[in-house]
Amino acid sequence: MPPTSMPSVPMAPVLFQASCPECRARFELSAGALRLAIGASRRTTFYSFTCPECETVVRKPAGERIVELLTGGGVRTLRLHSTL
């Protein structure tokens, strides 16, 4: 028996809930609106976005779980290298 193929189902875009510490707005952002930077320590691992309400650039720390969720959702990732 030949293998059957599953019908292709378009995947819904992943949306992430976020909030702005400046204007306190709450909103959803697509993966393309977020950036993730992974550094050598917790202090240098963060994600950032621009608030769609007040246009403030927001930078928040990203622990292991946040990194996992963002990378799994297609957020572009930048790996920071130390210059020792």
Side-chain angles (χ1 to χ4, degrees):
M1 236 180 176
T4 59
S5 63
M6 301 270 303
S8 123
V9 177
M11 292 190 56
V14 176
L15 295 176
F16 298 92
Q17 293 183 355
S19 62
C20 177
E22 188 69 29
C23 71
R24 300 188 183 267
R26 299 182 64 76
F27 39 84
E28 291 183 333
L29 296 171
S30 68
L34 293 156
R35 298 292 175 268
L36 174 63
I38 299 177
S41 71
R42 293 178 72 127
R43 201 178 85 233
T44 58
T45 300
F46 61 90
Y47 66 99
S48 63
F49 59 89
T50 300
C51 174
E53 298 292 323
C54 70
E55 298 185 0
T56 296
V57 176
V58 178
R59 178 176 159 163
K60 294 188 175 186
E64 287 181 32
R65 181 71 179 138
I66 297 293
V67 169
E68 185 179 304
L69 291 170
L70 294 177
T71 55
V75 172
R76 285 196 298 186
T77 302
L78 172 66
R79 295 206 179 263
L80 305 175
H81 299 281
S82 65
T83 54
L84 294 177

